[in-house]
C-alpha cells in the first residue's frame, strides 16, 4: 500500500531490516551506497562495530628477553601493558576470541609496535580464515617482518580468507622460498585478503617472489613492491586469480 519503503526491493519493509546505527537506512543499503564502510566484509557497517586491539611488542618494558620471541613477559595477555611477543600469538588469541567471547559486531586488530620481527611466531603467519586485521602502529618504515633469507614466508592465506582479512603498514623482506613453491612474502590460495600500505621488498620464490595468488582475489592498495626475484613474475604472480592493484608501485 506504500505505507513502508522497500528501497532494496527484497519484499521486506525497510523498518524491519537491520539498522544498527538507527539512521533510517538499513545496513545493506548503507554499505552498498558507500554511506558506511564495511572493511571486514561482514555485512555490518563499521560505525556499528567495536574494535578490540591485541598488541605485539617483543621489547616491551616488562619483557625479560627483548628481541627473543621465546622468552616472554610472564603476564603477557595482549594488552598495551603486557603485549604478546609474536604476531602469531596475538592472532591465535584473536581466533580463540572469535570462537568464544567475541561480540557479534566486533573487529579484532593485532597492532604491531615499532621494531623488527623475526624468528618463531613471526613467519608463516596464518589467520585461519578469520577477518582479523594485522596492522603496524606507525607504518612500514617503522615495522618490519624480517624472514632472514630463509625458506619461510610472511603470511600464508589458504583458508578462504575474505577482503576483511587485512595486512596493513608492514615491510616484509628476506623470504627465500625454493622450487616448486610460490609466493615469497605473501601467498594466497583460494583466498581474498587485502594488502594495504605495505613494502614488499627483497624476497624470492620460484614463482611470485613478492606476492603469489592462486585461484584467489587480492586487493593491493598503496603498496611498494620492489627488488623481489623469481623464475616467473618476480613482483606479483597470478594464476587463475583476480588481483586489484591501486595506487601502488610494482
Amino acid at each position: 500500500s506504500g505505507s513502508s519503503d522497500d528501497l532494496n526491493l527484497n519484499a521486506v519493509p525497510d523498518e524491519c531490516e537491520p539498522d544498527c546505527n538507527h539512521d533510517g537506512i538499513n545496513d545493506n543499503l548503507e554499505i552498498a551506497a558507500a554511506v558506511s564502510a564495511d572493511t571486514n566484509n561482514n555485512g555490518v557497517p563499521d560505525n556499528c562495530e567495536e574494535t578490540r586491539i591485541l598488541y605485539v611488542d617483543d621489547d616491551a618494558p616488562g619483557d625479560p628477553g627483548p628481541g627473543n620471541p621465546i622468552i616472554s613477559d610472564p603476564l603477557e595477555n595482549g594488552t598495551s601493558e603486557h603485549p604478546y611477543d609474536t604476531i602469531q600469538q596475538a592472532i591465535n588469541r584473536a581466533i580463540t576470541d572469535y570462537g568464544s567471547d567475541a561480540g557479534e559486531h566486533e573487529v579484532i586488530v593485532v597492532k604491531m609496535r615499532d621494531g623488527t620481527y623475526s624468528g618463531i611466531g613471526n613467519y608463516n603467519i596464518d589467520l585461519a580464515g578469520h577477518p582479523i586485521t594485522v596492522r603496524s602502529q606507525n607504518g612500514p618504515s617503522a615495522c618490519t617482518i624480517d624472514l632472514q633469507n630463509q625458506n619461510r614466508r610472511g603470511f600464508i592465506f589458504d583458508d578462504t580468507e575474505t577482503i576483511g582479512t587485512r595486512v596493513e603498514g608492514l615491510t616484509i623482506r628476506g623470504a627465500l622460498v625454493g622450487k616448486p613453491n610460490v609466493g615469497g612474502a605473501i601467498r594466497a590460495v583460494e583466498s581474498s585478503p587485502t594488502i594495504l600500505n605495505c613494502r614488499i621488498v627483497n624476497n624470492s620464490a620460484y614463482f611470485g617472489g613478492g606476492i603469489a595468488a592462486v585461484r584467489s582475489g587480492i586487493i593491493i592498495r598503496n603498496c611498494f613492491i620492489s627488488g623481489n626475484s623469481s623464475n616467473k613474475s618476480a613482483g606479483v604472480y597470478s594464476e587463475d586469480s583476480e588481483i586489484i592493484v591501486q595506487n601502488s608501485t610494482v
Side-chain angles (χ1 to χ4, degrees):
S1 67
S3 60
S4 292
D5 289 328
D6 179 21
L7 296 179
N8 59 350
L9 303 178
N10 67 347
V12 178
D14 289 346
E15 66 266 25
C16 296
E17 297 199 278
D19 179 16
C20 63
N21 52 15
H22 309 293
D23 62 356
I25 306 173
N26 79 59
D27 296 344
N28 291 329
L29 282 174
E30 278 200 44
I31 294 167
V35 174
S36 294
D38 179 24
T39 53
N40 61 349
N41 199 36
N42 67 348
V44 179
D46 289 350
N47 55 22
C48 295
E49 299 191 292
E50 297 180 1
T51 299
R52 180 185 302 187
I53 298 177
L54 297 172
Y55 289 91
V56 182
D57 186 358
D58 192 23
D59 57 2
D63 192 331
N68 185 340
I70 298 175
I71 302 175
S72 303
D73 174 0
L75 299 178
E76 69 176 12
N77 57 7
T79 61
S80 179
E81 296 78 14
H82 300 285
Y84 287 111
D85 265 10
T86 72
I87 306 162
Q88 192 66 59
Q89 281 179 297
I91 290 171
N92 290 346
R93 166 67 185 277
I95 291 170
T96 299
D97 286 353
Y98 268 117
S100 56
D101 65 341
E104 180 183 359
H105 296 159
E106 186 168 64
V107 175
I108 296 185
V109 173
V110 171
K111 181 172 284 190
M112 298 169 58
R113 291 199 171 126
D114 296 353
T116 298
Y117 294 81
S118 60
I120 295 172
N122 295 315
Y123 62 84
N124 295 344
I125 299 162
D126 186 356
L127 283 84
H130 292 279
I132 298 166
T133 294
V134 179
R135 174 187 297 154
S136 71
Q137 185 162 297
N138 293 305
S141 63
C143 191
T144 297
I145 294 176
D146 184 1
L147 303 171
Q148 301 180 312
N149 295 316
Q150 297 190 44
N151 186 17
R152 52 182 62 163
R153 295 180 175 88
F155 290 86
I156 298 174
F157 301 106
D158 57 6
D159 289 295
T160 63
E161 285 86 358
T162 68
I163 60 173
T165 302
R166 298 157 65 98
V167 176
E168 297 184 35
L170 304 179
T171 292
I172 306 175
R173 70 185 185 205
L176 188 59
V177 179
K179 184 179 180 179
N181 295 309
V182 302
I186 296 173
R187 184 188 76 180
V189 178
E190 298 180 349
S191 297
S192 301
T194 302
I195 315 300
L196 303 173
N197 189 30
C198 286
R199 290 176 55 87
I200 311 296
V201 295
N202 302 330
N203 301 281
S204 178
Y206 188 64
F207 283 1
I211 298 173
V214 179
R215 299 183 301 278
S216 296
I218 299 180
I219 297 174
I220 300 170
R221 184 180 298 137
N222 300 332
C223 290
F224 180 78
I225 301 172
S226 179
N228 303 286
S229 61
S230 80
N231 190 53
K232 184 177 181 180
S233 301
V236 180
Y237 171 74
S238 174
E239 179 181 321
D240 299 325
S241 297
E242 179 176 303
I243 299 178
I244 298 173
V245 182
Q246 299 172 320
N247 195 34
S248 297
T249 296
V250 183

